[in-house]
Amino acid sequence: MDPFDAGAGGILRQPKAVWATAGASVVAFMGIGLVDPILPSIAKGLDASAGQVSLLFTSYFLITALAMLVTGFVSSRIGGRKTLLLGLAFVVVFAGLAGTSDTVGQLVGYRAGWGLGNALFVSTALAVIVGAAAGGSAAAILLYESALGLGMACGPLLGALLGDASWRYPFFGTAFLMAIGFLCITVFLKEQPKPARKTSLLDPIKALGHGGLASAAVSAFFYNYTFFTVLAFTPFVLNMTPYKSGAVFFAWGVLLAVFSVLVAPRMQRRFGSLKVLGGSLVLLAADVLVLGYGNHTAAIVCTILSGAFIGVNNTVYTELALGVSDAPRPVASAGYNFVRWFAAAAAPYFAPKIEEWTDVHIPFVVAAVTALLGAVVVVVRRRALTLPHSRLRSSGGTPIAEELEPKHAREDSVTVFAN
């Protein structure tokens, strides 16, 4: 069945609960790139250095990584709906407080609280969408990926539009939109059955004992360092007004969405997941090298173009994490995300430091190397990433139809965080 089919079960014919959760997911993903266009403005407004402001990403994703050990534990005990609302409440409070910050230290601290709320919400959103959607998991996952891409595209645009007046306004705007999402989920989403098995805090760590899942996590760790060097460090290199920077990252986000939802699945069917992933990582490495050493126009073009490679990588990594091991999906995903988000926390911190120690080009050299290391892991561990019991078709990486999945995989909720 075509998930884009407007008939019953297609992506366009979903219950209000699904649309409410997907809409809130868009805003949640917007929060990741929201600060991109206003990073220089925040640095100027709070009299902070690029390295200090980059901690907005570091605190956010460090808490996100640690929260991966907690989200499954919480949602398996209080249920998906309450976990979503708890996460949204955290985001509303801490995004609003972020807009009132007087020092960069306060802002970094509030972003950490925001990261906890976003982790609780986004890690549960796909599970809720899959559980409430009509037409099975294919349409639900596609809708979730669409929300991810739309949010990543619109975040920088919203940050630019509101941030042109004041760097504080994007934070207040996010709090307002998430409050609307809170009300929509309260009204439209009914509580879903809790998983039959409660998740312990150590289950995600134990799941990483599987060679295939550990390989996917390590490769994604290196890739995420590259990804967030582009996202967090490039705005300082471009040194543009919020409007212009927002336009660049909006185009970047559009490519990310298109390649994640439309292009990557077709490439996987034709060439296979691992070939697509390895090739995309190599092309991303080349792209960030040109970004670092080219002129200003080349840097703009390569920043936008990187969205295409990032979109492809996000889709393939998500499928590998969910399908390569025999662990329940929420447990496997939590372990995978626990590892990879540490790189998202590290890159925004180390990229400005590396520039201080060397020059502006070297952070992109390091980012290119980490992308290549991600590809090396895929090549060296390709057999572990295509085990016979994988829930992915080894020929193309397409998720196995719902009716062919193991029974426990259908009963467990799906836990995925923003790629």
Side-chain angles (χ1 to χ4, degrees), residues 323-348:
V324 75
S325 75
D326 54 2
R329 280 176 164 177
V331 174
S333 179
Y336 160 79
N337 283 300
F338 172 73
V339 173
R340 75 185 184 107
W341 286 118
F342 277 110

Side-chain angles (χ1 to χ4, degrees), residues 80-106:
R81 181 176 181 273
K82 291 179 181 177
T83 304
L84 289 180
L85 293 175
L86 179 63
L88 286 170
F90 269 98
V91 174
V92 171
V93 170
F94 283 102
L97 288 173
T100 68
S101 300
D102 295 320
T103 66
V104 70
Q106 289 179 352

Side-chain angles (χ1 to χ4, degrees), residues 71 74 92 118 127 137 183 209 211 224 232 292 297 320 379 407:
T71 53
V74 173
V92 171
N118 222 44
S137 61
L183 292 175
N224 268 259
T297 300
L320 284 177
V379 172
K407 187 172 184 292

Side-chain angles (χ1 to χ4, degrees), residues 13-26:
R13 297 291 297 272
Q14 297 294 336
K16 292 179 181 179
V18 172
W19 287 113
T21 307
S25 298
V26 171

